[in-house]
Amino acid sequence: MIIYSWNVNGYRAVLKKDFRDWLDGCGGDVVMLQETKVEPDQLDPEEREPDSFSNHYWNWSKKKKGYSGVACFTNPEPLSWDTGLSDGRFRDEGRVLHLEYPDFHLFNIYFPNGQMSDERLDFKMGFYDTFLEHAQTLRKTKPIVVGGDFNTAHREIDLKNPKANSERSGFLPVERAWIDKFIEHGYVDTFRLFEDGPHHYSWWSYRFNARKNNAGWRIDYFFVSEELKDKVVRAWIEPDVLGSDHCPIGVEIDV
């Protein structure tokens, strides 16, 4: 199964930037989008349910219009699907889609950004912990795959200017420590199974010609629980695909 994840930074915006050409040609069995910023009824039928995929799932922010949101387009139909975590605090912003397949639970998540305030950083850390607890519960039944925008660069190798950003949310010690904890619980960063070198990023600021200069951050990931590690065929980043300040990432899992 080939799975893609892409923070599109506005679904309606990316539709105007050759998104459909990429979507129809990417070869993905599942395409997971984050930061869609739209409610399905604001879209034309073909935008809402692109015909290159058989199944279409949306979760959008009930709290603030034009904010957050995730979507999944799939060809293999899941056994079941739902839109949230167990804790009601983290259900209203439309950040989660969970699809259950025969071989694993698949999560598409747009994790919160903590830059706005201490309150939002606390919200982000609470979301992280609630997700980990939820994943660990579901993992008792079958393995976990989670992809999306984690909004944290894990190690210095994962961003261009680590020292300059060491006090900025997205690279704070407490955020990086959570990813360490996630890994210690038995989750594997699939990209690092195949590439241990620097200069591989998935997000670039729109300012200062950051993308042209490849001054980016790797904050989009696919993790699998370690019982799936040997089933990961490849994992990659597509930095040449434009249309958002993020680029698509992919993983292929032998099912």
Side-chain angles (χ1 to χ4, degrees):
M1 185 183 288
I2 295 174
I3 310 170
Y4 276 96
S5 172
W6 191 3
N7 179 323
V8 293
N9 193 9
Y11 184 69
R12 286 173 292 185
V14 83
L15 283 172
K16 301 172 183 176
K17 302 174 184 177
D18 300 322
F19 171 77
R20 280 304 303 267
D21 290 342
W22 176 86
L23 181 70
D24 296 342
C26 72
D29 298 294
V30 180
V31 172
M32 314 194 309
L33 308 178
Q34 301 92 43
E35 205 171 357
T36 49
K37 300 182 180 179
V38 70
E39 297 178 18
D41 61 7
Q42 295 176 290
L43 299 168
D44 293 335
E46 174 57 22
E47 296 172 338
R48 183 171 61 246
E49 301 181 349
D51 57 13
S52 45
F53 290 86
S54 303
N55 309 283
H56 313 87
Y57 307 96
W58 292 83
N59 190 12
W60 59 97
S61 175
K62 318 306 185 292
K63 200 169 186 177
K64 185 164 67 172
K65 207 173 182 72
Y67 174 73
S68 190
V70 289
C72 288
F73 305 147
T74 83
N75 279 317
E77 185 175 0
L79 302 174
S80 65
W81 68 283
D82 63 70
T83 60
L85 301 177
S86 54
D87 191 323
R89 291 178 299 162
F90 305 116
R91 298 182 68 91
D92 292 344
E93 293 186 0
R95 294 184 175 275
V96 180
L97 278 168
H98 163 220
L99 310 181
E100 181 186 355
Y101 282 104
D103 295 287
F104 49 78
H105 294 282
L106 175 62
F107 283 93
N108 171 15
I109 303 187
Y110 177 35
F111 289 91
N113 187 313
Q115 291 183 9
M116 187 182 301
S117 64
D118 290 343
E119 181 182 8
R120 285 304 289 182
L121 179 60
D122 289 343
F123 181 86
K124 176 180 182 178
M125 301 311 299
F127 190 107
Y128 273 160
D129 286 337
T130 299
F131 165 67
L132 177 54
E133 181 180 352
H134 187 55
Q136 287 293 86
T137 299
L138 288 176
R139 190 178 173 188
K140 296 173 183 176
T141 64
K142 61 182 68 174
I144 304 293
V145 179
V146 53
D149 178 359
F150 277 66
N151 257 314
T152 296
H154 180 211
R155 297 185 295 152
E156 290 192 355
I157 197 176
D158 293 316
L159 70 166
K160 178 70 171 181
N161 297 304
K163 290 184 179 179
N165 289 288
S166 61
E167 297 182 1
R168 177 183 177 187
S169 179
F171 197 58
L172 293 174
V174 65
E175 296 165 314
R176 298 171 63 197
W178 184 86
I179 295 186
D180 288 333
K181 180 170 76 170
F182 190 46
I183 291 169
E184 287 164 5
H185 275 75
Y187 294 86
V188 179
D189 179 352
T190 58
F191 183 74
R192 290 301 180 200
L193 291 174
F194 302 95
E195 175 56 67
D196 59 7
H199 312 307
H200 298 282
Y201 309 125
S202 63
W203 174 82
W204 303 262
S205 169
Y206 282 130
R207 304 169 67 194
F208 310 123
N209 289 317
R211 193 156 189 169
K212 181 179 179 182
N213 297 323
N214 198 29
W217 300 49
R218 190 172 74 95
I219 56 176
D220 302 87
Y221 303 87
F222 274 107
F223 280 90
V224 300
S225 51
E226 58 190 6
E227 53 273 28
L228 267 184
K229 177 180 176 181
D230 293 339
K231 296 287 189 179
V232 179
V233 177
R234 60 190 175 114
W236 66 97
I237 300 173
E238 299 191 356
D240 295 331
V241 176
L242 305 178
S244 169
D245 50 350
H246 295 250
C247 73
I249 64 170
V251 67
E252 183 175 356
I253 299 172
D254 182 5
V255 296

